[in-house]
Amino acid sequence: MPMLISRRDMLRTAAVAAGVWTTAGSAIRAQSKSPNEKLNIAGIGIGGRGAANVNGAGHENIVALCDVDEQRGGTTFEQYPQAKRYQDFRKLLDEMHSQIDAVVIGTPDHTHAAAGVMAMKLGKHCYCEKPLTHSVYEARVMAQVARENKLVTQMGTQIHAGPNYRRAVELVKSGAIGPVREVHVWLGANFKDPPTPTGTQQPDAPADRPPVPPTLDWDLWLGPAAERPYHSAYAPFSWRYWWNFANGQLGDFFCHYCDLAFWALDLRHPTTVEAQGPVHPESAARWTIARQEYPARGDLPPVALHWYNGGGYPALVQERNVPQWGSAVLFVGTKGMLIADYGRHQLLPEDQFREFQRPDPFIPDSIGHHREWTEACKSGGPTTCNFEYSGALTEAALLCNVALRVGRKLTWDAANLKADGCPEADAFIRREYRAGWTL
């Protein structure tokens, strides 16, 4: 495991002063709450999905809010007028750590780990949007810090909480389609607004220099990412299409759709990863086809997971008369197949399963993805998308882009966070932070 470079000493000093560092000094422990006592929660990144996440935890006490863009965060600021306002999450955590129990992070991907690690080292439970991080290394660190500090965590894969995924997982786990050695996951979505870089061209970094909006602190928005002049092609929405800030459509959706495969098949770390698609130094791939191989897990056989985004269906879908749903997960078992998307699932071939009696439900329905987390923060109970699980899911997603960018099939050494015999992958596994930023 790589060494962690952190602000731990500085944070420990602050924690001792606040009385939240244990006498043993080995970790910061979150303060416990009774079931009827509300958590004090801080929201970091509160526009767009961040606003939805703050509202998802709005049944608790929202005591502090932070957004680098006062206008972008304006609606949420107004919705919780009692909450203290900040632009810099570091200042929020330095000043408010003794008054908060947990944080909800909805920033762009490149800031997830910086905010999450700092908060967790101060003993704060953490909810973070998907993908968990911008890089493979950051995902491993987030899981490690959460584990060391015994914190309750949840990644924002909200579809996980729906009944459809639960019923699909039950079918796979109960053996309805037999052992599964092959999964195909395809994403038909191709955003049209803005049209690039998911249009026909992958653009270079914009050359013009528009003024920074007066409500936005651009330096804080960049956070640990490499320096780029402000442009509306990056913020507030299109950051997800640029390597410097995110991982394209694959980063947006792998954690939603492949969550179903990870859950149903108990997947964790792939042994090999390969990918193809257009490669550009600045803008993320417009389309990607990737293949990952997973080892046997106990009695479960090895699995090949195939990913496709940017349009088009797998040949298997066309050859076997599988429904051409816009985006879907297809499990191929020895006794049949199962296709699923966010809201529906179907056993195939239909004639074969016409008289099939599905098992009684054995995965309890969720009380809600956000509420599951807030209740677990109080009880110490588990969550379904904690950072151990979702960190591995995020690593698998981001490894596809690592393989794409180096142009080679990777043999993955998960224990050491290394691609065997491929040192050029290191720069994409762990990115260099901008001066002044660290985990």
Side-chain angles (χ1 to χ4, degrees), residues 202 243 250 273-279 285-291 306-309 399-409:
Q202 285 183 253
W243 294 127
L250 190 148
V273 183
E274 54 190 311
Q276 58 178 299
V279 179
R286 183 170 57 86
W287 61 268
T288 309
I289 298 174
R291 173 189 167 95
H306 303 259
W307 167 270
Y308 318 76
N309 75 265
L399 281 170
C400 294
N401 278 335
V402 175
L404 175 70
R405 297 178 78 180
V406 299
R408 292 177 55 183
K409 181 177 181 178

Side-chain angles (χ1 to χ4, degrees), residues 40 42 47 107 134 144 154 221 238 247 251 271 298 301 346 373 392 439:
N40 291 331
T107 64
H134 180 267
Q144 177 181 319
Q154 184 91 305
W221 189 95
S238 300
N247 281 271
T271 52
Q346 182 179 334
W373 171 68
L439 287 183

